[in-house]
Amino acid sequence: MKLGIVGLPNVGKSTLFNSLTKAGAESANYPFCTIDPNVGIVAVPDERLKLLGDMYHSKKVTPAVIEFVDIAGLVKGASKGEGLGNQFLSNIREVDAIVHVVRCFEDTNVIHVDGSVDPMRDVETINLELIFSDLEILERRYAKVAKAARMDKTLAKEEALLVRIKEHLESGKMAKSMVIEDEDELELMRSYNLLTYKPVIYAANVAEEDLADDGASNPHVKAVRQFAAGENSEVFVICAQIEQEIAELDDEEKAMFLEDLGISQSGLDKLIAASYRLLGLMSFLTAGEDETRAWTIKIGTKAPQAAGKIHSDFERGFIKAEVVNYKDPLEQGSLAAVREKGLVGMEGKDYVVKDGDVILFRFNV
């Protein structure tokens, strides 16, 4: 999974990236200190892996990972060359979802590029830049398609779709709010890789005192939540400054620190949960002496396609899947005990994999 982090300068974007990835992207109180996209790989915390790894005495425990791409702060007019111009936008065309950091805290020591804190104005600024960038992509595609559309029915259909998307964006709406009429249109829409078609998670960056009630008493957070609900986006509340402090602690200290703050989850935990929900993802597990590992798949994936995540041969030569719920070997003490109790399922090609399944695939190529 790959997530692109965007936001205006000085909203706490790079501070958040640093704390999530401990990658040390330069963060400073002035615009454009993040000029090249910084990339950080983060392990998805999963207690099940450690427990199974200990039980199997695995030589290696491999978690699922998320790749974060931190993009230079945007300003109004970026798509026309203001600030750093349009260069950052190409860096997030390949991401699965956009994490949009919005500033919901007041602090006279941290400059705001527009002079005041107004997250909805900030969201609109960023969205407009994404729209302008997408319109440029569509214009180029339209120029290619329009010439040949008169002689080709398929291209004529695409031309009509391009006109509809263009009109939709020009009215200030995001591509993801457009009604798609059939599977062909859906395939085309995905192929354009439009930024305004990507799912969005809003990270409402608040002051420390707003963390305990999850931003409920912060009017800025309330506005972001209302807006996000209207476009089926996710929102999570975070204090980037606190996350930076948490990043320096070990697991035990982190748990105590969070307890003192009156919160149960770190920002990274919240972000991972939000991104899995938004993208419809879950994890299945493989376990053994050599390696215990988590694999990320879409909810609703069937056994052969899940096997294909490990290796294409597994999918091609799929015979069956031996499936147990991760809790069973932990409760019974071993896989042998689970077998004795008849808790191992022998599943075929139509089996829909569940979150927390531990699977051994049988295949023959």
Side-chain angles (χ1 to χ4, degrees):
M1 177 161 51
K2 195 171 180 179
L3 302 176
I5 304 181
V6 302
L8 287 169
N10 298 343
V11 295
K13 184 176 58 64
S14 290
T15 305
L16 175 59
F17 173 82
N18 290 351
S19 54
L20 292 179
T21 64
K22 299 183 187 174
E26 186 190 353
S27 77
N29 183 20
Y30 57 91
F32 314 130
C33 64
T34 319
I35 294 174
D36 295 309
N38 289 274
V39 178
I41 306 288
V42 175
V44 175
D46 193 335
E47 184 62 21
R48 302 171 300 188
L49 275 183
K50 186 187 179 309
L51 296 170
L52 285 168
D54 289 347
M55 195 193 91
Y56 280 92
H57 305 292
S58 303
K59 292 172 191 160
K60 195 161 75 161
V61 174
T62 309
V65 295
I66 296 179
E67 186 176 321
F68 287 104
V69 185
D70 178 34
I71 309 297
L74 215 72
V75 290
K76 201 175 286 183
S79 55
K80 296 182 180 68
E82 293 295 321
L84 288 172
N86 216 351
Q87 70 183 60
F88 94 101
L89 294 166
S90 60
N91 297 316
I92 55 167
R93 290 220 174 262
E94 300 309 314
V95 301
D96 299 303
I98 292 171
V99 180
H100 186 161
V101 184
V102 283
R103 178 171 166 177
C104 296
F105 67 90
E106 303 281 352
D107 185 343
T108 50
N109 296 317
V110 182
I111 308 151
H112 190 291
V113 285
D114 288 327
S116 62
V117 176
D118 181 347
M120 293 326 301
R121 178 198 60 213
D122 296 354
V123 167
E124 192 181 327
T125 298
I126 296 276
N127 284 353
L128 274 174
E129 295 310 318
L130 300 184
I131 285 171
F132 290 143
S133 180
D134 280 352
L135 282 169
E136 211 175 285
I137 296 280
L138 292 170
E139 293 285 3
R140 286 205 292 268
R141 180 64 193 161
Y142 184 81
K144 283 182 185 174
V145 169
K147 288 177 187 173
R150 294 183 201 122
M151 311 294 289
D152 185 322
K153 280 185 181 176
T154 307
L155 288 177
K157 188 176 178 182
E158 183 180 357
E159 182 185 25
L161 174 65
L162 287 165
V163 169
R164 270 176 44 226
I165 302 171
K166 192 167 168 291
E167 287 172 353
H168 189 81
L169 293 179
E170 283 171 345
S171 70
K173 295 174 190 158
M174 307 293 269
K176 62 187 171 190
S177 67
M178 220 179 107
V179 176
I180 302 297
E181 290 176 359
D182 57 34
E183 202 60 43
D184 291 342
E185 284 196 355
L186 186 59
E187 210 172 303
L188 282 168
M189 182 66 106
R190 285 176 181 151
S191 74
Y192 302 143
N193 229 351
L194 299 178
L195 297 170
T196 58
Y197 193 64
K198 292 186 184 295
V200 176
I201 303 162
Y202 292 99
N205 189 13
V206 299
E208 182 183 333
E209 57 269 22
D210 286 329
L211 271 183
D213 70 352
D214 204 34
S217 53
N218 183 316
H220 295 317
V221 174
K222 192 176 177 184
V224 173
R225 282 189 169 130
Q226 281 176 341
F227 179 80
E231 59 170 38
N232 295 318
S233 293
E234 287 275 345
V235 179
F236 74 103
V237 171
I238 196 165
C239 174
Q241 212 57 52
I242 290 291
E243 288 302 312
Q244 203 166 28
E245 291 175 39
I246 290 172
E248 304 303 319
L249 306 174
D250 63 31
D251 288 348
E252 202 176 310
E253 290 171 328
K254 179 177 143 184
M256 286 167 63
F257 188 60
L258 292 174
E259 199 179 322
D260 288 346
L261 289 169
I263 54 178
S264 58
Q265 284 183 306
S266 72
L268 177 60
D269 296 334
K270 286 184 191 175
L271 174 52
I272 288 169
S275 52
Y276 269 61
R277 276 195 307 271
L278 188 69
L279 297 169
L281 300 174
M282 63 177 205
S283 297
F284 76 90
L285 313 164
T286 52
E289 204 175 300
D290 284 337
E291 184 182 39
T292 292
R293 183 166 180 165
W295 304 86
T296 304
I297 54 170
K298 285 261 185 197
I299 292 169
T301 299
K302 291 187 176 178
Q305 287 69 50
K309 286 289 281 187
I310 300 172
H311 197 288
S312 56
D313 283 354
F314 284 30
E315 183 173 356
R316 201 156 45 90
F318 179 88
I319 299 170
K320 64 182 177 184
E322 293 185 18
V323 183
V324 295
N325 183 278
Y326 80 96
K327 288 179 184 170
D328 293 335
L330 294 173
E331 285 168 3
Q332 303 302 324
S334 72
L335 191 57
V338 173
R339 286 188 199 284
E340 276 174 35
K341 291 267 175 86
L343 295 171
V344 178
M346 294 297 177
E347 306 293 352
K349 291 183 176 181
D350 290 328
Y351 178 71
V352 177
V353 177
K354 298 182 187 70
D355 187 56
D357 277 350
V358 182
I359 307 180
L360 174 64
F361 293 106
R362 301 288 183 194
F363 72 101
N364 183 27
V365 177

